[in-house]
Amino acid sequence: MKTVIWKVFFNFEKEEKWLNDMAAKGLSFIDYTFGRYLFEEGTPGEYIYRLELLNEMPSHAESKAYIKFMEESGIECVSTYLRWAFFRKKAADGPFDLYSDYDSRIKHYKRVIAWTAVGLALNLFAALLNVFIGLRLGSSGRSSFNLYFSTISWAVTIILIPMLISYIRKIFIMKKEKNIYE
């Protein structure tokens, strides 16, 4: 039996944790499309999931080669969305981590920061533009759409800022740990 759950995540770490929590309950994630998660019933704890922001779109030759390499290593690419890849591995095969060293983990976080910063900039621009247009239209009925859209953009902007700061902090922590342990 398949189950669809609609949910939106801005933070990939929370999304990854949620997918692993669902897997622990016996719901194996099998597909994603814009907030729509598709699960199938499975054995509780059968899979471990990891998310990765690829360098390029999944259709790009570099990404295809990377995904093929992962699959040859026993890691299944369950789904892709935009530049995100959802990987899983059977828990019985041992621990599953996409990054073997600090440098590759830091590179991934830098990609996520760049991705998030673009989203932040676009939402901030949309918020300011719609406030400006809404105020220019004044009390006409058309201004309410712009002000409503601006509110959504402000909300997304407010959500993205602390997330961006947390990713930057994690890079600093990883760099410190790298200096200590390597």
Side-chain angles (χ1 to χ4, degrees):
M1 186 173 137
K2 294 185 178 177
T3 303
V4 173
I5 297 177
W6 290 88
K7 198 167 179 87
V8 174
F9 285 95
F10 290 98
N11 184 321
F12 83 95
E13 294 168 322
K14 290 181 180 176
E15 183 178 13
E16 186 178 273
K17 182 184 178 320
W18 180 72
L19 291 174
N20 285 307
D21 289 346
M22 298 300 281
K25 295 175 184 172
L27 288 176
S28 301
F29 168 72
I30 55 171
D31 195 28
Y32 175 82
T33 305
F34 196 70
R36 180 185 174 269
Y37 294 84
L38 182 61
F39 296 89
E40 65 183 3
E41 285 188 33
T43 305
E46 183 177 6
Y47 293 106
I48 300 170
Y49 290 89
R50 297 288 178 240
L51 277 61
E52 182 169 12
L53 182 62
L54 303 171
N55 287 326
E56 304 289 340
M57 296 297 282
S59 59
H60 189 272
E62 179 186 318
S63 295
K64 284 182 177 179
Y66 178 71
I67 290 169
K68 183 179 180 188
F69 167 76
M70 296 296 275
E71 290 177 346
E72 289 170 353
S73 303
I75 298 166
E76 181 183 358
C77 181
V78 179
S79 184
T80 58
Y81 185 74
L82 298 175
R83 284 178 41 204
W84 286 99
F86 298 78
F87 293 107
R88 76 179 179 185
K89 183 178 175 183
K90 289 199 177 256
D93 295 341
F96 175 32
D97 196 352
L98 291 171
Y99 311 104
S100 58
D101 58 23
Y102 283 105
D103 289 334
S104 60
R105 190 178 305 273
I106 289 169
K107 273 186 184 176
H108 182 252
Y109 271 86
K110 285 183 177 178
R111 282 195 306 268
V112 173
I113 287 170
W115 178 266
T116 305
V118 169
L120 179 86
L122 289 173
N123 274 287
L124 185 59
F125 177 74
L128 293 171
L129 181 65
N130 279 295
V131 164
F132 175 75
I133 292 171
L135 292 176
R136 293 276 298 181
L137 293 175
S139 61
S140 73
R142 295 181 304 181
S143 68
S144 61
F145 170 78
N146 294 91
L147 294 175
Y148 174 73
F149 192 76
S150 176
T151 303
I152 293 171
S153 295
W154 281 116
V156 172
T157 301
I158 290 169
I159 290 169
L160 292 179
I161 288 172
M163 192 173 69
L164 197 62
I165 291 169
S166 77
Y167 292 151
I168 292 168
R169 282 186 182 156
K170 286 186 179 177
I171 287 178
F172 282 117
I173 291 169
M174 285 187 278
K175 284 182 178 179
K176 276 185 178 179
E177 289 176 355
K178 178 184 171 193
N179 289 334
I180 292 170
Y181 299 115
E182 290 184 355

